[in-house]
């Protein structure tokens, strides 16, 4: 299995694991395999107020890099992906400015 397909499997499994942490009906997942986009977001009503927003957005670029475009969790998503076998030099913290990415152990771009 090439690395992109391996990364897709890891990302999908992790996304489902995170989704399972919330009560049913409070989060939804969007998987766009054609463009390798993976999202977890909230979409529900609570006391007449709509709760809608992205929790997690991960993209796998054609070069095989994993871009965490948004991490609205307290789960240290990048570290969890490393724990599952994705090297740090393949993960980009896309939600951080390039200047700050240089100071991390992860890829800059």
């Amino acid at each position: 299995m090439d690395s992109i397909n391996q990364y897709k499997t890891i990302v999908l499994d992790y996304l489902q694991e995170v989704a399972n942490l919330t009560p049913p009906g409070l989060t939804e997942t969007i998987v766009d395999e054609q463009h390798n986009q993976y999202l977890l977001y909230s979409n529900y009503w609570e006391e007449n107020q709509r709760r809608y927003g992205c929790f997690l957005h991960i993209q796998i670029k054609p070069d095989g890099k994993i871009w965490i475009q948004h991490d609205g969790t307290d789960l240290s998503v990048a570290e969890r992906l490393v724990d599952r076998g994705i090297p740090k030099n393949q993960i980009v913290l896309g939600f951080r400015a390039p200047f700050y990415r240089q100071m991390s152990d992860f890829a800059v771009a």
Side-chain angles (χ1 to χ4, degrees):
M1 179 184 298
D2 66 48
S3 61
I4 290 180
N5 285 330
Q6 181 181 9
Y7 295 166
K8 284 181 183 183
T9 300
I10 292 169
V11 168
L12 280 168
D13 288 348
Y14 183 69
L15 193 70
Q16 188 59 52
E17 182 180 314
V18 174
N20 290 338
L21 294 174
T22 63
L26 298 186
T27 59
E28 296 182 28
T29 57
I30 294 177
V31 176
D32 177 357
E33 296 225 28
Q34 181 180 3
H35 300 104
N36 295 322
Q37 301 276 344
Y38 307 89
L39 293 107
L40 178 65
Y41 68 98
S42 64
N43 185 15
Y44 65 96
W45 289 88
E46 180 178 71
E47 297 181 13
N48 295 322
Q49 291 202 358
R50 186 170 187 210
R51 304 292 183 198
Y52 183 88
C54 181
F55 281 112
L56 185 57
H57 177 190
I58 299 173
Q59 179 181 20
I60 303 174
K61 300 276 187 151
D63 65 0
K65 295 276 176 101
I66 309 294
W67 281 71
I68 301 174
Q69 300 290 12
H70 180 71
D71 180 2
T73 74
D74 60 356
L75 301 173
S76 302
V77 171
E79 291 293 340
R80 300 299 71 80
L81 294 176
V82 169
D83 293 345
R84 286 164 171 75
I86 299 175
K88 285 185 176 185
N89 67 358
Q90 291 300 110
I91 298 173
V92 178
L93 305 178
F95 57 90
R96 299 273 186 233
F99 172 77
Y100 291 109
R101 289 184 217 149
Q102 295 175 33
M103 294 181 263
S104 77
D105 293 336
F106 296 94
V108 174

